[in-house]
Amino acid sequence: MTPRPLASWTDDPKALELLKDAGPFHSDAFRESWVVGYPGWRDVSYGARLPDGTRAAVALLVKDRVAESVPFNYAGVVASRGLGAAETKAFLEEARRRAGAHRLIARSIPIQPTPQTQHVGARLVGWTSVVRVSRHQDLTAGFAKKATRKAKRGGGNVVASHDPSGFLRLYALVGDSHWLRYADELIRRLAIRGIGRSYEVRVDDRVVSAVFALLSANHWTAWLAAQDPEGRSLSGNYLAVAELLGDAQRSGVGAVNLGISEGMPGVAHFKRRFGAVDVPLMEEVIASRSALFAQFTAVGRHKLKTFARRACSQ
């Protein structure tokens, strides 16, 4: 029996409303802030529908004909129901074409799994650490509680602020230790738009440690952290994260993403002390025929050069 052809997607800008509460990186505020911080990028987010009424959307930013959901972070497809592998691939292929991109990369993390965000077809590329939050949970049990007490005994107190200047001062001091240094203007814009909040540990009005968080109705993300030697000696980041988790709990948010810690055992240990669990980072890659041909050609050239070097050495 011949399989029935897959129904095609039709452009539907109204489907972009699905992105509104899906996560901090899905939001208009994040995409608009990114374009201000990195003017070479454009917002090409895409929404579409199927004949049966199913709607889907993806937050997309494009530069040099590569579209990402989203650069160096995660967003992924949001739909009105779970999508099959072929449906997801067809949707992302249409999004790639509309963006004028040779290549599309969509990363997603099922932090708050729902049928709207659980789709078939992506591959596992990594893990992140997530704290599940409930109303009556003790979020600083065990060693984390001891560390926060140490910070308080050292004179540390936490202030939550939409002014990122204290965080940015520390971030400038430790920027070289981060694998990626985000633009100050991006961070400022996120704070202005209200989705970025700095949890500052202060000692005598000096900001010695800070965690910059991104907020949404779906989940929060402890995105960036920085501290000076005094903050490190106080275990200041424990106090900042504890306050962040407490605010998330009071707001009714169900989860906080503490980020990826692959290759950083000390950071992974820090997150486990708050009860973080591993959650997969998934990725979909869609490429045009010309991009696939260029990749195939590059691999072929590499193999030919390797063969020639080995032949000459014999």
Side-chain angles (χ1 to χ4, degrees), residues 78-306:
V78 184
S80 55
R81 63 166 172 83
L83 303 178
E87 291 174 319
T88 305
K89 183 177 179 180
F91 172 75
L92 291 175
E93 175 60 32
E94 195 62 31
R96 181 197 66 77
R97 289 179 58 251
R98 297 299 185 189
H102 285 315
R103 186 177 177 87
L104 181 150
I105 304 167
R107 303 179 196 88
S108 61
I109 298 174
I111 292 178
Q112 292 280 66
T114 67
Q116 287 70 38
T117 56
Q118 290 181 297
H119 314 301
V120 179
R123 65 189 183 98
L124 175 67
V125 294
W127 298 87
T128 191
S129 301
V130 173
V131 176
R132 305 292 186 192
V133 180
S134 62
R135 281 291 185 184
H136 304 292
Q137 178 183 357
D138 185 353
L139 296 167
T140 57
F143 185 87
K145 183 168 289 186
K146 294 178 182 178
T148 57
R149 287 173 178 168
K150 175 184 175 181
K152 290 178 180 178
R153 284 197 302 268
N157 64 90
V158 186
V159 175
S161 173
H162 283 293
D163 177 3
S165 56
F167 169 79
L168 288 173
R169 182 187 66 80
L170 295 175
Y171 194 45
L173 294 177
V174 301
D176 291 342
S177 65
H178 289 258
W179 72 274
L180 173 65
R181 174 69 161 85
Y182 289 100
D184 287 4
E185 186 58 26
L186 167 63
I187 295 168
R188 291 192 187 96
R189 294 297 305 180
L190 290 168
I192 290 170
R193 292 299 306 271
I195 71 165
R197 183 184 296 170
S198 180
Y199 285 84
E200 301 176 350
V201 177
R202 300 179 182 179
V203 176
D204 298 331
D205 293 327
R206 299 187 313 278
V207 180
V208 299
S209 180
V211 173
F212 191 77
L214 298 182
L215 319 180
S216 78
N218 180 274
H219 70 276
W220 291 10
T221 295
W223 194 37
L224 302 169
Q227 57 186 346
D228 62 16
E230 183 177 6
R232 191 172 297 107
S233 69
L234 288 175
S235 298
N237 276 350
Y238 277 97
L239 193 55
V241 170
E243 186 68 18
L244 187 163
L245 292 173
D247 273 0
Q249 186 178 51
R250 287 184 287 273
S251 74
V253 172
V256 176
N257 181 14
L258 298 186
I260 294 172
S261 49
E262 183 177 352
M264 298 178 285
V267 176
H269 190 49
F270 168 87
K271 294 170 183 176
R272 285 196 298 271
R273 285 168 170 167
F274 285 102
V277 296
D278 289 340
V279 174
L281 169 62
M282 310 300 291
E283 184 179 85
E284 292 252 19
V285 179
I286 303 292
S288 65
R289 290 182 180 180
S290 59
L292 289 171
F293 179 77
Q295 182 180 2
F296 176 79
T297 303
V299 171
R301 283 198 298 265
H302 174 73
K303 288 182 177 179
L304 183 61
K305 288 178 181 179
T306 301

Side-chain angles (χ1 to χ4, degrees), residues 36-60:
V36 171
Y38 297 97
W41 291 81
R42 291 184 296 113
D43 185 355
V44 290
S45 299
Y46 180 66
R49 70 178 185 277
L50 288 172
D52 68 359
T54 298
R55 295 187 303 155
V58 62
L60 276 181

